[in-house]
Amino acid sequence: MKNKTSFLPREGEAQPSRCPDNTAFKQQRLPAWKPQLTIASVLSGFFLTGAFCLLVGVCLVLSANSVREIQIDYSDKCSDCSKLRENSSNWNKECHCSVNFTLKEDILGDVFMYYGLQNFYQNHRRYMMSRSDAQLLGRNVNIQRSYCAPFSTYRNGTPMAPCGAIANSMFNDTIDLFYNHNSSVIQVPLLKTGNSWWTDKNVKFRNPESYNLSSAFAGTARPPYWHKPVYQLDEEDERNNGYVNDDFIIWMRVSAFATFRNLYRRVRRVRRFAEGLPAGNYTFHIAYNFPVTRFKGRKHVILSTVVWSGGSNPFLGIAYLVSGTAATLTGFVITGIHLKLRKKKTYFQRQ
């Protein structure tokens, strides 16, 4: 065995250098942009940023305010149906109600119908995890190993399709819109497809492969709170049935806040409604199924247009206004400090 002292340098030998190699990278001599910050460049940066944010904020706020929107709360107007839904044993009983309203002015352009929920928390961690993405892709998986419990299987072992708390609590009110023109009642044509994102419809959700949907979901059962199985969500359009149903896809995109709205339908611009919704008297016919009394919630129907910046949401515009105001005020504060210090420096130089 060698002696440990043999690793030490002998007398007269040079000590190994610990300095980095003499290269441009290790000696930090690479070309770089090293701006020299002056008071003029700093102040111009703050003021230009503030002016830009204020300009964009004003444009966004004005754009959001130009959106035509009408919101109707039907929680109390359908009170009889609401009381019926308080008892879970009445889940198979139908209940309908009507809500009348008046448009004083025409709503021109594309009109979107939303349903809104208030005090419904979808941001709970266990609620958000209660789903099986592999099942929603049409794969044959063992959902007992997923996070769907307790909405994964029934007591007899039959798996739920789709499983999980999100799917089980899907909004299932049916809303139709009617236009009361003179003495006639005209149903407003509504589009129920084309409302979801392309990536959801073609990438994240797929039906099991089979010659028809009923056989594809053989051996499964609907979630407890559903009135019909998943392969009957839209029997008129096979491309909008099963896991690729637009209403189901939109509901599975959970919200971060307790008050939210989801796109439900779009007004089809044909015949009398080619330009949008004309002014007049309208009626919502609602099949009331979704209970909200237990969690002190509210339900709304919203008719709204959109502009280049989106819907009626001034949050982004207000954020730009606040940022622009903060940048401008910071510029003025720096200007004041600079002038004060310059006067003080000039005073001492004269002394």
Side-chain angles (χ1 to χ4, degrees):
M1 179 179 293
K2 293 183 179 181
N3 191 355
K4 294 184 179 180
T5 58
S6 62
F7 293 99
L8 300 176
R10 299 177 181 177
E11 294 183 2
E13 292 183 355
Q15 294 285 344
S17 176
R18 302 182 62 182
C19 295
D21 297 336
N22 188 21
T23 61
F25 176 76
K26 292 187 176 181
Q27 295 297 334
Q28 300 183 10
R29 294 195 301 267
L30 291 175
W33 180 54
K34 302 176 182 179
Q36 299 296 327
L37 296 179
T38 62
I39 188 63
S41 62
V42 171
L43 290 178
S44 61
F46 273 103
F47 285 122
L48 289 176
T49 302
F52 173 78
C53 290
L54 289 174
L55 179 62
V56 175
V58 170
C59 294
L60 290 174
V61 170
L62 292 177
S63 176
N65 291 336
S66 66
V67 173
R68 292 291 310 281
E69 179 176 299
I70 179 171
Q71 179 171 308
I72 298 174
D73 188 330
Y74 66 95
S75 305
D76 297 331
K77 297 180 180 179
C78 298
S79 57
D80 293 338
C81 293
S82 178
K83 294 178 181 179
L84 180 70
R85 292 290 175 246
E86 289 182 9
N87 189 348
S88 59
S89 62
N90 298 325
W91 67 270
N92 59 343
K93 296 181 180 180
E94 295 184 358
C95 189
H96 299 267
C97 61
S98 298
V99 179
N100 299 319
F101 67 98
T102 302
L103 288 181
K104 297 181 180 180
E105 298 179 357
D106 297 344
I107 300 182
L108 303 178
D110 294 328
V111 182
F112 298 83
M113 180 188 294
Y114 301 83
Y115 64 84
L117 290 178
Q118 183 178 343
N119 205 38
F120 188 90
Y121 290 84
Q122 287 188 311
N123 54 5
H124 192 280
R125 184 181 65 86
R126 291 191 63 184
Y127 180 87
M128 296 175 63
M129 295 175 58
S130 185
R131 58 186 294 165
S132 174
D133 292 322
Q135 184 194 48
L136 298 177
L137 281 171
R139 300 173 183 173
N140 186 13
V141 295
N142 184 7
I143 60 175
Q144 291 183 345
R145 298 180 180 179
S146 65
Y147 294 101
C148 288
F151 301 103
S152 55
T153 60
Y154 285 92
R155 293 182 178 179
N156 58 2
T158 304
M160 299 181 189
C163 70
I166 306 176
N168 183 60
S169 61
M170 177 180 169
F171 183 85
N172 56 352
D173 282 2
T174 303
I175 306 172
D176 294 317
L177 180 60
F178 292 87
Y179 175 49
N180 306 317
H181 181 65
N182 297 331
S183 59
S184 61
V185 178
I186 304 172
Q187 184 171 6
V188 179
L190 301 175
L191 295 172
K192 56 185 176 181
T193 58
N195 300 325
S196 60
W197 296 347
W198 184 91
T199 51
D200 288 342
K201 192 84 170 181
N202 297 275
V203 179
K204 297 176 64 176
F205 293 84
R206 295 177 184 173
N207 286 322
E209 295 182 359
S210 182
Y211 63 93
N212 59 37
L213 279 183
S214 59
S215 62
F217 290 99
T220 64
R222 59 174 175 79
Y225 292 170
W226 284 31
H227 293 170
K228 52 188 176 182
V230 65
Y231 55 85
Q232 293 181 359
L233 291 179
D234 188 355
E235 297 181 279
E236 298 177 356
D237 188 356
E238 185 178 353
R239 296 172 298 179
N240 191 45
N241 204 1
Y243 292 150
V244 296
N245 178 262
D246 274 34
D247 294 339
F248 173 70
I249 291 175
I250 292 174
W251 177 258
M252 294 299 291
R253 192 189 311 138
V254 296
S255 173
F257 302 99
T259 299
F260 62 93
R261 63 176 64 179
N262 285 335
L263 181 59
Y264 182 67
R265 296 289 184 266
R266 291 177 295 129
V267 174
R268 186 179 180 186
R269 299 176 62 176
V270 294
R271 297 187 296 276
R272 189 180 297 273
F273 308 99
E275 301 297 328
L277 291 180
N281 298 321
Y282 289 84
T283 302
F284 281 123
H285 287 186
I286 302 171
Y288 197 105
N289 298 309
F290 193 84
V292 294
T293 307
R294 293 291 181 89
F295 56 88
K296 298 179 181 179
R298 311 288 298 181
K299 294 193 291 186
H300 306 83
V301 184
I302 304 103
L303 294 174
S304 176
T305 60
V306 295
V307 291
W308 62 271
S309 60
S312 177
N313 188 359
F315 173 79
L316 185 60
I318 294 175
Y320 267 101
L321 290 177
V322 171
S323 301
T325 304
T328 305
L329 290 178
T330 303
F332 282 116
V333 170
I334 295 176
T335 302
I337 295 174
H338 171 67
L339 295 176
K340 185 177 181 180
L341 293 178
R342 189 173 64 177
K343 290 181 180 179
K344 185 178 294 186
K345 182 179 179 180
T346 304
Y347 172 78
F348 281 112
Q349 287 178 349
R350 291 178 179 176
Q351 295 296 325

